[in-house]
Amino acid sequence: MTDRDTEADKRIEDNNGILTDTHQEQATNSKQPPKKESFFANLLMNIVIPTLILTKLSGEEYLGPTWGLIIALAFPIGYGVRDFAVNKKLNVFSALGVVSVLLTGGLSLLKLPPEYFAIKEAAIPGLLGIITLISIKTRYPLVKVFIYNDKVLKIDKVNAALAQFNTQKQFERTLNNASLLIAGSFFLSSFLNYVLAKLILVSPGGTPEFNVELGKMTFWSYFVIALPMMIIMMGTLFYVFRSIRTLTQLTLEEVINDGSAE
């Protein structure tokens, strides 16, 4: 074999190596997890833009009450549909949010009295609270959707440690208590939704005044309702973490799922 043949073979091997590395890199990139939902995009599409349209552009000189409402509601509905298209699976709570928005639009277009809106605002979180309580008696309590799941925690590692220390029953009680706290947050939201709707929505549906009031309620609901629920959810999260640490002797750093390999 000549030196020229040897150099040609070497070039072929190098090229094959480059192709192999390229294929491995493409495979790795294809397995990258989807981007997390942006908090600011969520806030913008569900709160800020609808509020601005309802309060500033629903007058007769701009969009008018009907089109103002339709365009304002199109943003949270479109955002929810996009989320379903991207993740390729139905999020029950996002779906309920879209249903709630559609009901708001429907009730307004029917020009029903404000009392119906107050009932609707209380019904959605109240229903979620009831579902959470019922789920405690099933194999799939909703606390596992919110907190005890493999996106938040290294479930296999926690379960193995619970089995090692024979503390599974104590941890089940922890999850039941966490479910009660989550259900309580939904019932609190139901009550606050009703009170907020009764205080703010006083004009007939389908009027510019009603749209302005609806925009104000959408804005204030974030502070009056979302923040207390967030505080309760965070407290529940720390309660579950503390129980895991006590029952498994594992630290928070050891059980948090940060996406790194074991």
Side-chain angles (χ1 to χ4, degrees), residues 187-209:
F187 291 133
L188 174 63
S189 173
S190 177
F191 172 74
L192 293 177
N193 268 330
Y194 183 82
V195 171
L196 196 64
K198 289 290 288 184
L199 290 175
I200 296 178
L201 299 179
V202 294
S203 301
T207 62
E209 294 78 11

Side-chain angles (χ1 to χ4, degrees), residues 20 65 163:
T20 301

Side-chain angles (χ1 to χ4, degrees), residues 14 35 211:
D14 291 341
K35 293 182 179 179
N211 282 9

Side-chain angles (χ1 to χ4, degrees), residues 20-68:
T20 301
D21 292 340
T22 302
H23 286 245
Q24 289 176 346
E25 184 179 351
Q26 290 175 345
T28 302
N29 291 337
S30 65
K31 293 179 181 179
Q32 289 179 349
K35 293 182 179 179
K36 293 184 178 180
E37 182 182 13
S38 169
F39 169 77
F40 292 104
N42 197 330
L43 189 65
L44 189 69
M45 298 296 286
N46 291 301
I47 303 292
V48 177
I49 294 178
T51 298
L52 290 174
I53 293 174
L54 289 169
T55 56
K56 303 299 183 182
L57 300 176
S58 292
E60 295 292 351
E61 67 275 21
Y62 295 110
L63 296 171
T66 300
W67 279 108

